[in-house]
Amino acid sequence: MGGKWLKTTVGEFCPLTYGKNLPEKRRKQGTYQVYGSNGPVGFHNKPLVKGEGIVIGRKGTVGAIHYVALPFWSIDTTFYVTNSEDRDLRFTYYLLESLGLEHMNTDSAVPGLNRDAAHARKILVPGLYEQRAIAHILGSLDDKIELNRQMAQTLESIARAIFKSWFVDFDPVKAKMEGKQPEGMTEEIAALFPDRLVDSELGMIPEGWEYKALGDMINIFDSKRIPLSRSQRKARQGKYPYYGATSIMDYVDDYIFDGVYVLIGEDGSVKKPDGTPFLQYVSGKIWVNNHAHVIQGKRLVTSAASHGERSEGW
């Protein structure tokens, strides 16, 4: 049977400490991650926090919560919380995530989280034993989510490699030119590829294929996008995904697109750390804001093909 839960405040349970300014020009090469309000922003040769901790967005990406397992530097657009013997840090992380701190913006010009307001939030917390038990359960779920994310990333890498082999390097065509069965595909799929390369404006391409501009092969639906502010989304909570440049940002009560689309980040976070663009392959009833291009393939070009994946017709 669980113990009694304590009525307290954020400030009493896990006080927020201001991060410290560290301009990029002052950072020295090292292995300690530097955290801003939206996550890691670089490295430095020494940490500000010498153990694990929690980073909370103070300016910019207000209320974003990051759990950091190794020593790190938290810059001045953030708050941070350090470990303590009388509370579980992972539980503290999940608690802070549940408080909706991202909605406590106190500055309309530059989004900001007021520490006094955050500290005044009333909370209920269990004893240390229950904290650890709760953190273990939620942590196990997070571990499974991370494993699934890594698996999806691996599958995406495999799909990219196959797409490059088939449609950039033309390996199936080259194999058939040598009288061989293309590797990794059935005879039915192999029959869709010719056995000859011909010259084109782009160089050698499979016989029967055409050189086309991307605009000739896709439809763009950017004019139908409608951005919703955070307060508007809060007032319109529902079951339909609301997409931004890189991911689902929220769920709302209506949709403006219904089908299969590829979303391409237009502004903000448009590139991944490896330099590739943010692409989202989405389907069903969705809402998209003005930070992602909305495209579909024309005629025989499916949205899956536009995304670099195998279409149902292949």
Side-chain angles (χ1 to χ4, degrees):
M1 189 177 206
K4 187 176 180 180
W5 287 49
L6 174 69
K7 292 182 179 180
T8 184
T9 64
V10 169
E12 293 172 345
F13 181 69
C14 56
L16 311 184
T17 304
Y18 285 100
K20 189 174 180 180
N21 185 34
L22 184 64
E24 191 170 351
K25 63 183 179 182
R26 281 179 43 206
R27 298 173 198 167
K28 298 180 180 179
Q29 187 174 0
T31 59
Y32 298 104
Q33 282 194 308
V34 177
Y35 272 78
S37 61
N38 62 344
V41 294
F43 292 89
H44 192 44
N45 67 341
K46 62 180 181 180
L48 175 65
V49 180
K50 297 181 180 179
E52 59 183 333
I54 302 166
V55 177
I56 303 100
R58 183 176 73 87
K59 291 285 186 181
T61 310
V62 174
I65 314 292
H66 310 279
Y67 179 84
V68 189
L70 298 172
F72 62 97
W73 191 290
S74 184
I75 65 173
D76 59 344
T77 60
T78 68
F79 298 117
Y80 64 87
V81 174
T82 56
N83 208 351
S84 173
E85 293 182 356
D86 58 358
R87 57 176 161 76
D88 184 88
L89 190 66
R90 288 290 290 190
F91 172 82
T92 306
Y93 164 75
Y94 292 119
L95 173 67
L96 291 172
E97 267 205 327
S98 72
L99 296 180
L101 298 179
E102 68 275 12
H103 301 302
M104 296 182 66
N105 176 19
T106 58
D107 189 332
S108 59
V110 179
L113 175 63
N114 181 277
R115 186 170 71 160
D116 291 339
H119 276 180
R121 283 292 300 270
K122 294 179 180 180
I123 55 175
L124 283 172
V125 295
L128 185 57
Y129 177 82
E130 287 84 0
Q131 289 180 33
R132 288 172 176 165
I134 293 170
H136 174 72
I137 294 171
L138 295 179
S140 297
L141 292 173
D142 268 355
D143 290 343
K144 290 181 180 179
I145 291 170
E146 174 61 18
L147 179 61
N148 288 337
R149 187 195 66 79
Q150 291 177 5
M151 290 175 60
Q153 200 170 43
T154 299
L155 291 173
E156 183 178 352
S157 297
I158 293 171
R160 288 180 183 275
I162 292 174
F163 187 88
K164 183 176 184 295
S165 172
W166 291 11
F167 302 110
V168 178
D169 298 332
F170 309 129
D171 289 335
V173 178
K174 293 174 182 177
K176 293 179 73 171
M177 289 171 66
E178 297 175 0
K180 300 177 182 178
Q181 170 69 20
E183 292 184 8
M185 63 173 59
T186 65
E187 291 185 6
E188 182 182 12
I189 294 176
L192 299 174
F193 290 85
D195 58 5
R196 184 166 175 257
L197 294 173
V198 296
D199 198 17
S200 76
E201 296 178 55
L202 295 177
M204 303 300 288
I205 63 172
E207 185 177 37
W209 290 25
E210 296 179 272
Y211 167 63
K212 294 275 189 181
L214 179 62
D216 295 333
M217 309 304 293
I218 62 172
N219 291 313
I220 302 177
F221 298 95
D222 288 4
S223 62
K224 295 185 177 181
R225 303 172 302 176
I226 303 174
L228 295 176
S229 67
R230 182 179 297 164
S231 59
Q232 288 175 314
R233 299 198 305 271
K234 186 177 180 180
R236 300 186 56 173
Q237 290 292 290
K239 65 179 182 179
Y240 301 106
Y242 177 89
Y243 283 89
T246 64
S247 63
I248 295 175
M249 298 177 61
D250 214 331
Y251 289 85
V252 293
D253 61 356
D254 203 353
Y255 63 93
I256 49 179
F257 298 101
D258 185 6
V260 179
Y261 303 89
V262 173
L263 308 183
I264 305 176
E266 178 179 353
D267 51 26
S269 301
V270 296
K271 285 197 307 183
K272 298 178 184 178
D274 63 2
T276 58
F278 273 105
L279 298 177
Q280 301 176 78
Y281 180 61
V282 301
S283 62
K285 296 177 172 64
I286 62 172
W287 193 297
V288 183
N289 71 12
N290 59 335
H291 297 297
H293 296 295
V294 183
I295 69 172
Q296 269 186 337
K298 287 182 180 178
R299 297 167 55 196
L300 298 179
V301 180
T302 68
S303 295
S306 302
H307 188 235
E309 298 179 359
R310 186 168 71 90
S311 77
E312 295 177 358
W314 294 346

